[in-house]
Amino acid sequence: MKKILLTAIIALTMATAGARDYNFNEMTYTPKATQFLLNTNDDAQEVVLRIYDAGKDGNMIKKVNMKRDKKIAGEWHATVKGDLKGRFYTFDVKYNGVFAGENPGIFAKAVGVNGRRGAIIDMAETNPEGWDIGRRSPLIALGDHIIYEMHHRDFSIDPSSGLQYKGKFLALTEPKAIEYLKTLGVNTIHILPSYDYASIDEEHLEQNRYNWGYDPLNYNVPEGGYSTNPYDPATRIREFKMMVQALHNAGIQVVLDVVYNHTYSIDDGNFQRTCPDAFYRKNPDGSWSNGSGCGNETASDQEIMRAYMLASVKYWMDEYGIDGFRFDLMGVHDIETMNAIADMVHEQFPQSLIYGEGWSAGGCAIPNERLGMKANMKQMPGIAAFSDDLRDALRGPWDGDDKAAFLGGVPGYEESIKFGIAGASLHPQIDYSKVNYSKEPFANNPNQMIAYVSCHDDMCLVDRLRASIPNLTTKDLIKLDLMAQTAVFTSQGIPFMLSGEEMLRDKKGVHNSYESPDSINHLDWNNLNRYPQVFEYYKNLIALRKNHVAFKMGGMPQSNILAQHLEFLPGGDCLVVYRYKDLKVLGDSWNDIIVILNGNNERRTVKLPKSTYTIVGDGDVINEQGLYTITTDEIIVPARSAIIMHD
Ligand code: CA
C-alpha cells in the first residue's frame, strides 16, 4: 500500500510540475457559432482552418486563419459564426515555412467518409432514444467477468448468422444476437478495434474487405465501415451507441480494444501533421523506434501523448458508456501512464476492467523497467495482463503452430498450468523455476491475470490443435478443446474466450487472419447444429464458474487465501489435479471442488482423498446437478479429458 501511495504522489507531482493542461475539444458546435481549437507544437507558425460542404471533395466554403492563444503556447482558436451543422473541416499547420497538410485534427469526434475531414455535428442528436438509461452499465465484480472477444464481421457476416445487420454495430442490437450471448452466458463483450481505422475503404464497402483494424486513423470516432452509412457522420456514432445500449440492457458490458501504441502512418498522419515528433519515440540515431512492429511507436511517456490517452479513454467512457479497456501492446506504454489511466477510470467506476498485452512487438526506445510489461504488473495493481504462460502451456509455444504442449500430451508444462490456475499469483505448491515464461508470480492477485487459450491472434484453438497434434479425430479434437477451456474457466484468472470457439470455429489453418476474407474469419453458425455438445459444454462451464465463488478468490481480501483454499493434488506428466477446498466458509454451495486435466492420450488413475463425490463434468458433458456419484479414493480419468467433481 505504501508503495502505491508513493507512486501516486510522484505521479501527482510530475503532473503538476509545469505540465500543460491540454484542451482537446477541437470543435464545439452551437447553432449560432462553432468554436475550433487546436493544440500544436510551440513553434507552429500558422494554422489554417477550412470549412467544406462535403466529407470528401465538394467545395470549400470558408478559410480561416486561426489565432494563437494569448497565454498558452501551441494552442490556437477560431470561432466561425452561423449554423455550420452538416459541414466539414480540416486544419493545416505551418512549420518552418511549410504547411504540413490538411487533416481532421488529432481529436476529431465526428468525421466524413474515410476520416479525412472532421464533421460539424450536434453530438446530442446522436443519442438513441432512452440513451441515459441504456448507457448505464451493469455492475460486474472483476472475477465475475466472462470476456468474449469479438470482431463485428466474424460474428454476423455469414448468412448462417441469420442476423440482418451483417458486419455492423447494429448486429449486436438484434434480439437474436443478444439472446445468443445471454444463453452462452458471457457478460463482457470485448470488441476488436472499433474506432475509425484506415485499412477499409469506406467508399467501397461493397468489396467486402476484411481487416482487424489495428491501424488507427481517428481514435475518438467509431469506424465507418461498421455503420450503415459512413458518409453521414452522425450515423456511425448513433449506431455505436445503440449497440452499447442494447448490450447494457442485456446486462452485458462493453470493452473497447484501444490501440494507442502506434498509428497507421506517421508522415501523413494526424499526430505528425499537427505536432511533429511530439507523439512518437525515436531511436538515438533519429529513426523512428518501432516497439509496435508496425513501423512506429507512440510516446506515452511524453506529456501530450499521456494527456491524449487519458482524454481519449475518458471520452469513450463519458460519451459512449464504454465499461472497460483492452490495451493493445500495453508493453509499449509506460507504467506511470497506465496507472494514471487506471486511477482515472476507477475513480469514476471502481470495478472497471482494464487489461492489456504485457509485451511489445519489438524493442522500445525507453527501458523495459518503465514499460507496461507483464513482469511489471505488480506495479500496476489496477490492471490485468494476458497470461501467455497458461495459453502456451495448453496449446504450445507461440513460435511454431506445429508445436504441441499439454493438450498434445507433451510433458513439462504442468507447473505452467498450475501457474495459470493460481492466476499468476503466489502459491506455495508451484515451482516457479519450471514455469515456461514467468519465473515468479507476476500478479498481486488473480484479478490481474487474464486466463485464455486463444484470441484473434495466432491460430484459433481448433486450428492449433489440428496443426500441432497429428491424426486428431474430431472426437478427440472436441475433448481437447473442452478441456482447454475447462482449465481457463476454472482458473482463478479472469476468463477470456475468442468468439466462435463455442461453435468450434476454425480459420482453415490461417495463422494471421488480420486481412483474410470473410470465408476464413466468419463464424459458421451451422456449426451449432453440427456440434451441439460444444456450445452446451461452454454454456454449462460458464454457468458453473458464475455459480461458484471457488473460482473467483481474486477479489477476496485475505492475502493467503489461495494457500488456504487451493491445493494441488498429486498428478503426473500431463496430469494436473487441483482441489478448491473448505469453500463453505467462502460462501460456496459446495465445500470441495476437484478438477482433473488429463492431457495424455491414455487414461490415468488419480488418487483422491477418500470421500463421496458427485461428478459434474466428464469429457464432453457438464451437469451441475450431477452426472453420477461415487464413493472412492481414486478415479480413472479418460484420455484427453477433464473431470470436474465435488464432495
Ligand atoms: Ca475508417
Side-chain angles (χ1 to χ4, degrees):
M1 184 54 93
K2 250 183 187 162
K3 193 171 179 186
I4 298 163
L5 261 178
L6 191 65
T7 314
I9 290 164
I10 293 168
L12 199 66
T13 314
M14 290 191 65
T16 49
R20 178 164 146 193
D21 190 10
Y22 288 95
N23 179 348
F24 292 112
N25 291 316
E26 292 179 347
M27 185 281 294
T28 307
Y29 164 83
T30 71
K32 286 187 177 158
T34 300
Q35 290 183 317
F36 295 89
L37 179 157
L38 192 69
N39 292 282
T40 67
N41 291 352
D42 292 356
D43 61 341
Q45 295 165 318
E46 274 182 60
V47 180
V48 173
L49 166 75
R50 290 178 177 83
I51 308 291
Y52 291 92
D53 63 1
K56 190 201 167 203
D57 303 329
N59 303 305
M60 185 179 75
I61 53 179
K62 206 176 258 298
K63 187 174 167 186
V64 179
N65 286 310
M66 293 182 75
K67 290 200 170 61
R68 200 187 288 271
D69 190 273
K70 290 193 175 69
K71 288 178 191 150
I72 305 167
E75 195 175 292
W76 299 74
H77 301 272
T79 300
V80 180
K81 287 187 178 150
D83 191 342
L84 295 185
K85 189 159 76 178
R87 309 294 194 185
F88 297 82
Y89 64 93
T90 63
F91 299 107
D92 199 357
V93 189
K94 189 177 174 183
Y95 289 99
N96 300 319
V98 181
F99 279 102
E102 289 183 64
N103 66 84
I106 59 177
F107 212 114
K109 295 174 180 173
V111 293
V113 69
N114 281 327
R116 297 298 175 186
R117 288 177 185 163
I120 301 168
I121 66 168
D122 183 352
M123 287 301 282
E125 291 177 2
T126 65
N127 293 341
E129 201 180 325
W131 172 241
D132 283 343
I133 296 162
R135 69 185 304 195
R136 225 172 272 154
S137 314
L139 280 177
I140 300 174
L142 278 178
D144 286 326
H145 284 277
I146 311 283
I147 307 171
Y148 187 80
E149 186 202 40
M150 201 200 75
H151 185 282
H152 297 289
R153 280 187 90 89
D154 289 20
F155 186 72
S156 56
I157 201 72
D158 194 66
S160 64
S161 72
L163 294 166
Q164 182 186 348
Y165 294 103
K166 293 179 174 58
K168 306 294 182 189
F169 295 132
L170 287 182
L172 287 174
T173 67
E174 296 183 51
K176 182 182 177 184
I178 294 284
E179 272 316 303
Y180 177 80
L181 297 169
K182 281 174 73 174
T183 303
L184 179 59
V186 295
N187 57 21
T188 305
I189 304 299
H190 156 165
I191 46 177
L192 256 66
S194 296
Y195 52 74
D196 181 29
Y197 60 81
S199 54
I200 295 294
D201 184 354
E202 298 173 5
E203 289 186 274
H204 294 285
L205 295 179
E206 75 285 354
Q207 294 172 345
N208 277 314
R209 297 281 299 276
Y210 179 100
N211 206 288
W212 284 341
Y214 291 91
D215 41 78
L217 194 60
N218 292 290
Y219 280 108
N220 305 294
V221 185
E223 161 59 20
Y226 298 139
S227 76
T228 58
N229 181 3
Y231 292 90
D232 173 37
T235 299
R236 61 178 79 186
I237 297 173
R238 186 179 303 112
E239 291 177 351
F240 190 105
K241 289 178 174 177
M242 289 170 73
M243 169 187 70
V244 173
Q245 183 181 42
L247 291 166
H248 281 181
N249 286 344
I252 296 171
Q253 289 197 358
V254 183
V255 165
L256 198 63
D257 189 340
V258 285
V259 190
Y260 298 114
N261 64 79
H262 74 278
T263 55
Y264 177 65
S265 57
I266 294 190
D267 290 339
D268 62 351
N270 305 333
F271 282 164
Q272 190 67 0
R273 284 183 169 182
T274 306
C275 306
D277 295 3
F279 282 93
Y280 301 97
R281 295 188 191 126
K282 282 188 167 179
N283 295 313
D285 68 1
S287 61
W288 300 113
S289 185
N290 184 20
S292 70
C294 298
N296 62 75
E297 117 198 10
T298 57
S300 62
D301 49 309
Q302 296 300 312
E303 198 178 83
I304 191 167
M305 185 60 192
R306 178 173 299 157
Y308 186 85
M309 287 171 68
L310 281 156
S312 180
V313 165
K314 183 152 177 55
Y315 178 68
W316 282 105
M317 286 201 302
D318 293 347
E319 185 67 33
Y320 288 93
I322 290 298
D323 304 288
F325 297 88
R326 176 265 188 196
F327 283 81
D328 187 63
L329 298 183
M330 183 168 69
V332 169
H333 304 312
D334 68 305
I335 293 170
E336 192 181 322
T337 299
M338 288 309 304
N339 280 334
I341 289 170
D343 289 349
M344 176 192 73
V345 171
H346 290 147
E347 193 174 318
Q348 198 161 335
F349 298 113
Q351 285 287 337
S352 277
L353 187 56
I354 303 175
Y355 54 102
E357 293 180 306
W359 49 75
S360 61
C364 293
I366 64 173
N368 279 359
E369 293 72 41
R370 287 182 60 194
L371 293 171
M373 297 289 183
K374 196 178 61 167
N376 300 332
M377 291 311 296
K378 286 187 177 173
Q379 299 173 59
M380 297 184 276
I383 302 173
F386 287 96
S387 175
D388 52 344
D389 319 83
L390 176 63
R391 181 196 69 197
D392 289 5
L394 288 165
R395 64 157 203 192
W398 55 271
D399 61 349
D401 288 330
D402 58 341
K403 295 179 185 168
F406 186 87
L407 298 172
V410 179
Y413 292 95
E414 298 78 15
E415 294 304 302
S416 308
I417 303 281
K418 287 158 71 175
F419 178 89
I421 298 305
S425 300
L426 187 65
H427 191 281
Q429 285 180 283
I430 297 172
D431 181 351
Y432 292 91
S433 72
K434 292 181 182 158
V435 174
N436 48 2
Y437 306 138
S438 299
K439 298 304 176 191
E440 58 184 63
F442 71 71
N444 294 308
N445 78 62
N447 282 346
Q448 278 193 276
M449 189 193 98
I450 301 296
Y452 75 124
V453 65
S454 65
C455 67
H456 69 277
D457 272 321
D458 302 352
M459 282 187 171
C460 60
L461 184 53
V462 163
D463 285 341
R464 180 61 184 245
L465 286 166
R466 285 193 179 129
S468 61
I469 305 172
N471 307 315
L472 193 60
T473 64
T474 301
K475 190 162 181 275
D476 276 6
L477 170 79
I478 290 173
K479 280 161 63 179
L480 290 170
D481 180 290
L482 302 181
M483 178 168 62
Q485 301 291 8
T486 303
V488 167
F489 282 88
T490 61
S491 141
Q492 291 296 317
I494 298 172
F496 168 108
M497 63 175 286
L498 171 65
S499 156
E501 300 287 23
E502 77 282 9
M503 44 176 105
L504 212 65
R505 82 180 293 182
D506 70 76
K507 295 191 203 172
K508 300 184 172 66
V510 175
H511 172 89
N512 183 355
S513 68
Y514 79 102
E515 61 173 2
S516 296
D518 292 329
S519 59
I520 299 296
N521 282 303
H522 72 178
L523 303 193
D524 180 354
W525 290 62
N526 294 314
N527 276 10
L528 288 170
N529 297 324
R530 290 186 191 114
Y531 314 109
Q533 75 275 35
V534 175
F535 181 88
E536 197 66 14
Y537 190 97
Y538 275 69
K539 182 185 86 172
N540 292 336
L541 181 62
I542 289 168
L544 178 79
R545 182 182 176 88
K546 283 184 172 171
N547 290 340
H548 294 278
V549 297
F551 307 116
K552 299 168 285 196
M553 295 184 216
M556 296 177 192
Q558 302 99 302
S559 59
N560 58 348
I561 193 155
L562 285 185
Q564 280 179 14
H565 297 283
L566 168 59
E567 179 186 11
F568 292 98
L569 299 176
D573 284 353
C574 289
L575 185 67
V576 173
V577 187
Y578 43 105
R579 175 163 76 141
Y580 292 120
K581 61 181 185 179
D582 304 325
L583 300 170
K584 286 271 163 71
V585 298
L586 302 180
D588 207 301
S589 56
W590 295 343
N591 199 48
D592 290 274
I593 302 173
I594 293 177
V595 182
I596 307 170
L597 309 171
N598 179 16
N600 296 289
N601 193 16
E602 293 167 352
R603 67 185 193 182
R604 287 282 185 270
T605 302
V606 173
K607 289 278 177 203
L608 302 169
K610 178 146 191 180
S611 186
T612 299
Y613 293 102
T614 302
I615 313 297
V616 295
D618 186 351
D620 63 1
V621 58
I622 287 180
N623 181 345
E624 245 185 278
Q625 305 311 310
L627 295 162
Y628 54 94
T629 299
I630 48 170
T631 302
T632 185
D633 62 356
E634 64 176 37
I635 188 166
I636 293 169
V637 188
R640 294 175 163 168
S641 289
I643 292 228
I644 310 169
M645 55 208 276
H646 70 91
D647 78 348

